[in-house]
């Protein structure tokens, strides 16, 4: 990531603290953009649907679901007209629906590529959830489809719009604590007892903890240092080999950055952890928890931090809508999603080799 990209990242949604939206008044808002959620599982139901009641630049216009009972539930709850409700067979007909400007893909990871590409072919802008796709090739196909259709693509990296994490980005960007010299970052949770869930199945999830929670640790390390990593070493551990027979349970990895900084990272589907610690020449900052939807806490060597708790998803979607209206670049584009899949490939290569140091070449962002 070059400095210019990074500056844009920090600028997104951030003016002076406490990080109020800087874009809301920057385009004339005669029409809110319509968002259609594809996949009405836990994240849509618990976070995105409610967040779209708080957005200023976009609103919940439609849904796509394979479960007929959910159609009425969502229609009643959010007043969605029948003509804006689709299933996976009628999905492509969204092309003819002027109410819908943005399609938000909230499906199991193996379906991200197909539904993003079909959204682009329908002429709609796309937000795709993390991890972007199953592999680098799929990411490139998604980016190509969006480019050819002339639509924007962004990844659901909500923490770029969250004040505590924006503070970490700002410290790296503005060098306010002096040079960064060490980072620790961990994101993981103990998975429930449902052994049939798609997150444990390689063909639906791709990887286990790594693609699910590890992307937060990858992201945190990168924006805390303000550089892309140059090398990675990684290790994988299993305490429940039967449960995690197809996907990774716990992975630790260490990045080396061009500046010499090391980031020690960990992720798990069987251990609870959620922290980002950054040590610099003249101080430190620690967020714990740092990547949850709310209740984030943080302190520096000088003081506790007290930023407002915001609706991260509302800010993320509002920013994307503003990028569309203003024709500006989203701070969390497909290239960033691809970069993180490239890094996951490097982590897997290191694990495969028994922990060798792997060079991270030609990162896309
Ligand atoms: P979920 O299991 O709760 O929901 C998945 C949805 O996909 C369900 O509605 C299910 O019916 C539907 N589906 C369609 N085909 C399916 C199939 N073959 N197998 C299983 N489900 C199928 O999952 P979720 O937690 O909503 O996650 C969806 C996506 O959102 C994932 O990519 C995940 O990584 C991402 N996510 C992101 C965040 C975030 O904070 N950015 C949080 C949670 C989930």
């Amino acid at each position: 990531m070059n400095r210019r990209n990074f500056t844009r990242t920090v600028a997104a949604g951030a003016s002076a603290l406490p990080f109020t939206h800087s874009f809301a008044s920057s385009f004339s808002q005669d029409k809110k953009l319509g968002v259609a959620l594809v996949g009405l599982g836990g994240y849509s139901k618990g976070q995105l649907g409610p967040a779209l009641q708080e957005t200023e630049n976009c609103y919940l216009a439609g849904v796509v679901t394979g479960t007929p009972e959910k159609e009425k539930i969502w229609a009643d709850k959010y007043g969605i007209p029948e003509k804006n409700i689709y299933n996976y067979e009628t999905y492509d007909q969204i092309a003819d629906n002027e109410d819908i400007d943005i399609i938000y893909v909230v499906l199991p990871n193996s379906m991200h590529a197909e539904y993003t590409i079909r959204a682009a072919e329908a002429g709609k802008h796309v937000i795709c959830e993390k991890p972007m796709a199953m592999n680098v090739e799929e990411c490139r196909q998604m980016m190509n489809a969006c480019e050819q259709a002339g639509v924007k693509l962004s990844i659901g990296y909500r923490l770029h719009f969250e004040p505590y994490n924006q503070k970490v980005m700002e410290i790296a960007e503005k060098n306010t604590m002096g040079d960064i010299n060490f980072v620790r970052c961990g994101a993981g949770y103990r998975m429930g007892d449902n052994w049939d869930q798609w997150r444990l199945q390689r063909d639906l999830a791709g990887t286990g903890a790594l693609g699910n929670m590890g992307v937060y640790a990858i992201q945190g390390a990168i924006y805390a240092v303000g550089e892309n990593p140059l090398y990675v070493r990684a290790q994988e551990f299993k305490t429940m080999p039967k449960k995690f027979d197809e996907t990774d349970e716990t992975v630790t990895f260490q990045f080396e950055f061009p500046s010499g900084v090391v980031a020690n990272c960990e992720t798990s589907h069987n251990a609870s952890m959620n922290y980002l610690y950054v040590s610099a020449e003249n101080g430190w900052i620690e967020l714990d928890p740092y990547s949850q939807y709310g209740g984030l806490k943080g302190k520096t060597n000088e003081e506790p931090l007290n930023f407002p708790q915001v609706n991260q998803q509302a800010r993320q979607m509002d920013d994307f809508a503003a990028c569309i209206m203003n024709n500006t670049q989203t701070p969390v584009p497909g290239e960033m999603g691809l970069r993180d899949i490239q890094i996951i490939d490097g982590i897997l290569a290191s694990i495969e080799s028994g922990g060798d140091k792997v060079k991270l070449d030609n990162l896309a962002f």
Side-chain angles (χ1 to χ4, degrees):
M1 180 163 58
N2 63 37
R3 277 281 151 192
R4 202 157 11 121
N5 286 339
F6 191 72
T7 305
R8 177 65 184 90
T9 300
V10 172
S15 52
L17 290 177
F19 297 101
T20 51
H21 284 278
S22 57
F23 53 75
S25 58
S26 60
F27 66 88
S28 78
Q29 238 176 280
D30 46 5
K31 176 187 181 277
K32 285 188 173 192
L33 298 186
V35 178
L37 297 175
V38 188
L40 303 180
Y43 193 51
S44 286
K45 186 178 172 201
Q47 305 301 323
L48 298 175
L52 282 161
Q53 311 312 302
E54 292 187 30
T55 40
E56 294 167 10
N57 303 333
C58 55
Y59 74 105
L60 179 59
V63 289
V64 182
T65 177
T67 314
E69 308 84 76
K70 290 184 187 168
E71 295 182 7
K72 185 168 163 35
I73 295 170
W74 279 71
D76 289 351
K77 183 161 186 189
Y78 293 117
I80 302 169
E82 203 181 323
K83 71 179 180 63
N84 291 359
I85 297 178
Y86 295 85
N87 59 40
Y88 299 122
E89 284 70 50
T90 59
Y91 180 57
D92 303 296
Q93 294 168 19
I94 287 189
D96 302 322
N97 192 328
E98 288 188 357
D99 291 351
I100 294 165
D101 304 286
I102 299 168
I103 289 180
Y104 197 148
V105 179
V106 204
L107 290 163
N109 308 340
S110 62
M111 300 170 78
H112 289 183
E114 178 188 340
Y115 283 85
T116 295
I117 291 167
R118 284 168 67 182
E121 286 170 354
K124 305 300 178 181
H125 302 282
V126 192
I127 308 175
C128 177
E129 259 314 321
K130 45 56 57 177
M132 181 171 172
M134 301 289 273
N135 53 52
V136 163
E137 181 55 30
E138 280 188 359
C139 295
R140 293 203 192 281
Q141 288 167 1
M142 293 156 79
M143 286 159 52
N144 287 342
C146 290
E147 197 181 329
Q148 273 173 22
V151 297
K152 289 189 188 294
L153 170 62
S154 77
I155 309 300
Y157 286 140
R158 57 187 163 76
L159 294 177
H160 285 256
F161 308 92
E162 191 289 315
Y164 286 86
N165 284 273
Q166 288 179 326
K167 180 71 180 171
V168 169
M169 297 174 197
E170 186 189 65
I171 287 169
E173 164 68 9
K174 296 189 176 161
N175 213 34
T176 50
M177 283 188 178
D179 291 342
I180 309 295
N181 47 39
F182 183 74
V183 171
R184 277 192 292 123
C185 194
Y189 63 91
R190 275 182 63 80
M191 219 174 212
D193 283 335
N194 174 9
W195 289 35
D196 294 328
Q197 60 182 294
W198 65 263
R199 283 191 170 88
L200 287 169
Q201 296 169 35
R202 179 182 286 271
D203 59 342
L204 289 171
T207 59
L210 198 48
N212 187 23
M213 300 305 287
V215 290
Y216 291 106
I218 292 169
Q219 285 260 318
I222 290 175
Y223 55 68
V225 178
E227 296 174 355
N228 273 339
L230 199 53
Y231 298 102
V232 68
R233 286 181 202 269
Q235 308 80 30
E236 183 186 354
F237 306 93
K238 282 195 208 295
T239 61
M240 296 181 73
K242 282 209 179 113
K243 183 172 186 178
F244 298 101
D245 60 344
E246 291 188 20
T247 56
D248 51 280
E249 176 187 322
T250 297
V251 175
T252 53
F253 51 98
Q254 304 79 43
F255 288 137
E256 275 179 54
F257 290 84
S259 55
V261 179
V262 169
N264 202 7
C265 301
E266 50 196 6
T267 185
S268 181
H269 266 166
N270 202 23
S272 223
M273 57 182 87
N274 203 281
Y275 64 87
L276 173 55
Y277 172 83
V278 186
S279 167
E281 232 176 344
N282 304 320
W284 51 263
I285 178 169
E286 181 168 43
L287 308 185
D288 186 350
Y290 85 105
S291 77
Q292 296 180 359
Y293 304 140
L296 304 197
K297 293 196 179 108
K299 58 188 178 196
T300 69
N301 54 303
E302 286 183 341
E303 57 184 1
L305 299 171
N306 194 19
F307 298 129
Q309 302 291 332
V310 300
N311 188 315
Q312 301 165 19
Q313 291 84 359
R315 288 172 63 122
Q316 171 209 327
M317 290 186 277
D318 266 345
D319 188 71
F320 188 55
C323 289
I324 292 167
M325 300 292 279
N326 294 332
N327 196 21
T328 53
Q329 163 82 349
T330 165
V332 289
E335 286 81 356
M336 181 183 267
L338 166 58
R339 176 202 64 189
D340 295 348
I341 299 295
Q342 291 175 306
I343 291 174
I344 286 176
D345 278 353
I347 290 171
L348 293 172
S350 177
I351 292 169
E352 181 75 18
S353 72
D356 283 355
K357 181 161 153 172
V358 170
K359 187 151 198 246
L360 299 167
D361 277 325
N362 302 316
L363 295 181
F365 185 79

